[in-house]
Amino acid sequence: MHEPVTAHPAGRVPGRRYKSLGLFLTNLVAPAYGRQVAVRNDIVWCPEPWKHPGAAERLVAMWHAYEGALRSPEESALSMWWLDADAHMRALMDHAGEFSLCHKGHKTTLEPLPLNLDAAPPELFAEVTRQPATVTDTAA
Ligand SMILES: [Zn+2]
């Protein structure tokens, strides 16, 4: 069952609310978005979202961002998380989205986008060795 969001109890070291992606999906995502799947027929949810690489990446990102929002000193962090989560869930559950073939259970995912790697410049696969510029790097 989903636990209500509360401030960290005094003296408790904040940790993750959900110890795994499975617990995050079971206790937050599924209850929060279940109504949308039940009342609308233009959205689709896959009961095995981890079988979709793009969905798995989004859901892990949502989980990590949620945990970060809980620890954030910004009082609007959870509200911002919900706005971001809604965008991810719309992208996943759209009738043309990642789960579009999973109306009645998981179906094999679509093939990846075609890539003509023979035509790719070698720089495309060069490892990044330089860290991104920081604000202080560009301020001078
Ligand atoms: Zn599926």
Side-chain angles (χ1 to χ4, degrees):
M1 196 67 183
H2 176 67
E3 298 173 23
V5 175
T6 58
H8 301 294
R12 179 176 167 215
V13 176
R16 289 187 177 271
R17 171 166 289 173
Y18 300 110
K19 305 292 185 213
S20 68
L21 178 59
L23 290 172
F24 173 71
L25 291 174
T26 302
N27 295 312
L28 181 64
V29 174
Y33 290 95
R35 178 185 52 81
Q36 293 183 19
V37 175
V39 299
R40 294 180 52 182
N41 61 9
D42 62 335
I43 60 173
V44 184
W45 173 255
C46 177
E48 299 171 294
W50 52 88
K51 291 185 175 178
H52 299 262
E57 289 286 333
R58 282 181 184 270
L59 293 168
V60 167
M62 286 172 56
W63 171 39
H64 291 177
Y66 180 79
E67 298 294 342
L70 289 178
R71 292 187 305 271
S72 173
E74 296 295 326
E75 292 189 4
S76 63
L78 273 177
S79 177
M80 298 305 292
W81 180 86
W82 279 105
L83 294 173
D84 192 53
D86 285 349
H88 283 297
M89 294 303 284
R90 275 194 305 274
L92 291 173
M93 300 192 305
D94 183 85
H95 70 280
E98 184 126 8
F99 301 148
S100 61
L101 300 178
C102 303
H103 284 277
K104 297 185 184 212
H106 177 72
K107 297 288 185 274
T108 302
T109 58
L110 301 173
E111 293 295 319
L113 292 172
L115 295 172
N116 182 4
L117 297 180
D118 292 337
E123 306 85 60
L124 188 67
F125 295 97
E127 289 187 31
V128 175
T129 57
R130 184 170 175 265
Q131 293 296 317
T134 62
V135 172
T136 54
D137 291 340
T138 58

